[in-house]
Amino acid sequence: DTAVSQTPKYLVTQMGNDKSIKCEQNLGHDTMYWYKQDSKKFLKIMFSYNNKELIINETVPNRFSPKSPDKAHLNLHINSLELGDSAVYFCASSPPWGLGYGYTFGSGTRLTVV
Amino acid sequence: AQKITQTQPGMFVQEKEAVTLDCTYDTSDPSYGLFWYKQPSSGEMIFLIYQGSYDQQNATEGRYSLNFQKARKSANLVISASQLGDSAMYFCAIGKRDSNYQLIWGAGTKLIIKP
């Protein structure tokens, strides 16, 4: 029973393509996130949704579009992929009862743009 | 704005020794939380330990403890009796104490345990 599941785990694609990464959590959490981890392992938040509502939208190219059909799902669609988009993308979720429980992360999607 | 600094990009430690990973932070919020996560070479992010800014005692979870010095704004992770499986990247993070919190992350420390 995976708490936060992301698919696919690996994604290799050509420049200019459009791709999606899916994320689902079965923890009953209200808030979900997308993070990007670059080649130097730095984690940067991209988006956050609380109960399907966008609450954090960091400076990210508008080629990246998140979609949350319900509070258990948060997908990431990327248009016109560029070489610089190569990274590991993590989905995470957190409970509504505040700090102390941390985020639960998915296993990550390693995106390679060639 | 909140900020996290991890000054040790890499560390080598002999197996069975204790390890201290440094983390300092900067925030103007009186209420915040500090987290440590482990990322082994397999890539997943594993939550280790949490310390709230109002917690009187240092947090402990098994072999992990957090040396919280509020006045110095430091939240060092101590791993006792290190094991080969502790080799990983370790990230410190800070978040505001409300229900929709965004974590701000440090750059990480790569820990390698030598046999």
Side-chain angles (χ1 to χ4, degrees), chain A residues 15 20 42 78 81 93 109:
Chain A
M15 275 174 51
S20 291
F42 189 71
I78 317 168
L81 277 154
S93 70
T109 296

Side-chain angles (χ1 to χ4, degrees), chain B residues 40-88:
Chain B
S41 57
S42 50
E44 70 270 31
M45 294 288 288
I46 302 166
F47 169 60
L48 294 179
I49 198 166
Y50 164 80
Q51 179 85 42
S53 59
Y54 293 126
D55 294 343
Q56 296 295 315
Q57 293 191 323
N58 286 344
T60 59
E61 288 287 347
R63 292 186 301 113
Y64 303 108
S65 60
L66 202 152
N67 184 0
F68 182 47
Q69 298 188 43
K70 194 170 180 178
R72 290 186 172 188
K73 294 191 173 178
S74 81
N76 298 340
L77 178 71
V78 180
I79 307 174
S80 62
S82 58
Q83 302 170 355
L84 296 179
D86 293 332
S87 294

Side-chain angles (χ1 to χ4, degrees), chain A residues 48-90:
Chain A
S48 174
Y49 271 74
N50 179 259
N51 240 330
K52 302 192 296 175
E53 183 185 340
L54 180 66
I55 56 170
I56 295 173
N57 185 357
E58 289 295 304
T59 307
V60 173
N62 57 16
R63 298 181 294 103
F64 290 80
S65 52
K67 278 206 172 65
S68 181
D70 54 61
K71 76 173 195 177
H73 295 83
L74 179 61
N75 304 324
L76 183 66
H77 188 76
I78 317 168
N79 288 328
S80 304
L81 277 154
E82 300 178 358
L83 293 176
D85 298 332
S86 296
V88 179
Y89 292 85
F90 283 101

Side-chain angles (χ1 to χ4, degrees), chain A residues 31 33 35 37 40-43 45 50 55-56 58 90 94-96 98-103 105 107, chain B residues 32-33 35 37 39 42-45 47 50 89 91 95-103 105-107:
Chain A
T31 309
Y33 310 82
Y35 273 87
Q37 187 175 43
K40 293 185 178 177
K41 300 291 188 180
F42 189 71
L43 276 160
I45 192 164
N50 179 259
I55 56 170
I56 295 173
E58 289 295 304
F90 283 101
S94 65
L99 289 176
Y101 299 88
Y103 289 2
F105 280 84
S107 57
Chain B
Y32 53 89
F35 299 80
Y37 279 79
Q39 186 177 39
S42 50
E44 70 270 31
M45 294 288 288
F47 169 60
Y50 164 80
M89 283 289 289
F91 293 95
K96 285 186 186 180
R97 201 179 181 93
D98 59 35
S99 60
N100 297 318
Y101 58 96
Q102 173 188 351
L103 293 186
W105 296 81

